[in-house]
Amino acid sequence: MKEDALDQARPIVFVVDDEPAICLSLKRLVRSVGLEAETFTSAREFLRSKRPDGPACLVLDVRLPDLSGLDLQQELLDANVDLPVIFITGHGDIPMSVRAMKAGAVEFLTKPFRDQDLVDAVQHGIEKHKAARQQRAELAELRALYDSLTPREREVLPLVTAGLLNKQIAAELCASEKTIKVHRGQVMHKLRAESLAQLVRIAEKLGLSYSKS
């Protein structure tokens, strides 16, 4: 799947801050660099919202009235929501920033911060999200191709990528060398691999490996 087909939607920045003036200011800043922005005054409001499917990032205040920014970050992680987070706070401390960064935050900015620092963090977050979306799409496509293999072809694949010759695979699977050659060709064709090296990379991405019992 091509990246431009994945990310035709305009990148969006979600801003969660309980101060309306800050939400408005950040919304204007984000839009000034050509990005869309949606603002929320609480974590719960953000969680209830229907978010568009496209490249995005989350600018998140640490201290919120219902659920803290750090707790929202954890909820997103627990729900397998891959959304880059940029924390902003007027009351930050080192343990707080360490917790945020260990959980995968892109940046931890203390108010007042330079507009350019936030813009840089947002652009980095969006690029990170684009790359993750592209990787997921490629893996989903590979899994679909793998699902098209017959049970026998799935047995042949890890043996081929382990570097075994056709006659060795034939002995392993109690089949004729000619039959294995056909299966090998079908595996290459169905997985769209043009070389053994490419087939090995595909198998690695699919988490397939050969271990002799």
Side-chain angles (χ1 to χ4, degrees):
M1 185 178 293
K2 294 183 179 179
E3 185 175 353
D4 53 3
L6 249 187
D7 293 324
Q8 288 179 348
R10 194 176 183 184
I12 186 165
V13 180
F14 302 110
V15 178
V16 183
D17 194 299
D18 62 338
E19 296 185 45
I22 290 180
C23 282
L24 180 59
S25 174
L26 294 180
K27 189 172 189 176
R28 287 173 175 167
L29 175 62
V30 167
R31 287 185 169 177
S32 73
V33 294
L35 302 172
E36 285 296 327
E38 284 188 22
T39 61
F40 307 87
T41 56
S42 73
R44 294 296 181 197
E45 183 187 359
F46 172 74
L47 288 171
R48 288 193 300 267
S49 69
K50 185 176 180 180
R51 298 180 292 277
D53 181 26
C57 73
L58 174 61
V59 176
L60 181 59
D61 192 6
V62 173
R63 301 200 178 198
L64 294 168
D66 50 1
L67 189 69
S68 77
L70 292 169
D71 288 338
L72 173 56
Q73 180 190 33
Q74 190 58 54
E75 283 210 13
L76 294 175
L77 289 173
D78 292 343
N80 292 318
V81 176
D82 179 23
L83 191 61
V85 176
I86 299 155
F87 278 103
I88 56 175
T89 182
H91 311 281
D93 55 37
I94 292 176
M96 192 182 291
S97 63
V98 168
R99 176 182 166 186
M101 301 305 283
K102 278 188 174 180
V106 172
E107 186 59 274
F108 193 96
L109 300 174
T110 303
K111 301 173 185 176
F113 46 79
R114 292 172 57 245
D115 286 353
Q116 190 59 50
D117 289 341
L118 181 65
V119 168
D120 289 345
V122 162
Q123 291 176 335
H124 175 62
I126 286 173
E127 289 305 312
K128 182 179 179 181
H129 197 217
K130 282 183 178 180
R133 285 165 55 81
Q134 181 70 15
Q135 188 176 34
R136 284 197 301 272
E138 289 174 355
L139 183 56
E141 187 172 14
L142 285 179
R143 283 175 176 160
L145 296 177
Y146 178 75
D147 288 344
S148 72
L149 299 181
T150 66
R152 188 53 129 183
E153 287 163 358
R154 292 181 194 179
E155 290 181 312
V156 168
L157 172 57
L159 300 174
V160 171
T161 56
L164 274 65
L165 301 175
N166 287 346
K167 63 180 181 180
Q168 294 172 310
I169 299 173
E172 182 80 14
L173 299 180
C174 300
S176 71
E177 189 174 342
K178 183 178 179 181
T179 298
I180 295 302
K181 185 177 181 181
V182 171
H183 287 319
R184 185 179 190 131
Q186 283 295 100
V187 167
M188 297 284 288
H189 172 71
K190 290 181 179 180
L191 294 182
R192 301 174 188 170
E194 297 179 358
S195 66
L196 177 58
Q198 187 177 4
L199 190 65
V200 169
R201 288 194 294 273
I202 289 171
E204 287 175 347
K205 288 180 180 179
L206 289 170
L208 303 174
S209 62
Y210 166 67
S211 58
K212 190 173 180 62
S213 55

